[in-house]
Amino acid sequence: MKNDTTGRNAARPPERKGRAPKTGNGERRFEDIVLIAGELFADRGFNGTSLKDIADAVGVLKGSLYHYISSKEDLLYEVIKMGSEGLGENIRLCDHFASSPAEQLAAFCYGHILLNAVHDRIDRGIVIIQDAKYLAPDKREQISAERDAYQAYLRSIISRGVSAGIFDAQIDLRISSFTILGVLTSYIRWYKPTGPISPHDLARESAAFVVASLLPQAHGGNRFTMLDEVIARVQELKGKLHD
């Protein structure tokens, strides 16, 4: 197992330096523009969406958009920035469970999905995954820093759980945190908030799956013993697949 020295107080997304907040009707219109841009980017991609497409969907002239943004890339950043709000919300929620690593991990997994598996945030999540590469380097680094801090927060929960003997000491903190976030975020590619699975049910099942995966093996067993036997057999069979 690799040690992780990140403290939970240090694992916080950095402060953003975004556009100045708008007030009154201007703020409402700006939010509408960002929401609609998020839907279009998610559906058509950043390169497949023009400012005219966004203006038409909002119901304004293209030139009017420049009262709120300076470029399409600036608008992409606002969509992604708004799409990342759920990460900070989840950390604030999970801080209430800091006295128990197991409960905090459960809250982290449940909150990650519950707060983000809603229509607008799923659209923005898709945009983050597929279009963040089009941001300017400084803005891309800022988004990456927030993601890294979020992952460090998760690693700190797992690390404290391992130290307390709650989670299996054999796990690798870095790999497990990457894997957990991959599992928790995979819903973006298939989940529909209007479908038969509620955000609560999805979040509950996913949280149970993750928490169970970190618990020590029953009767003191090694979680890798059977797995390594299977891996050895797979490696043996792999060379025979094309014979």
Side-chain angles (χ1 to χ4, degrees), residues 230-241:
V230 172
I231 289 173
R233 183 63 176 153
V234 168
Q235 294 292 345
E236 179 184 337
L237 293 171
K238 181 180 176 183
K240 301 177 180 179
L241 292 178

Side-chain angles (χ1 to χ4, degrees), residues 18-35:
R19 294 170 62 87
K22 298 181 174 6
T23 58
N25 293 335
E27 181 179 9
R28 180 66 260 173
R29 175 52 63 90
F30 175 69
E31 291 177 356
D32 288 343
I33 291 170
V34 174
L35 290 173

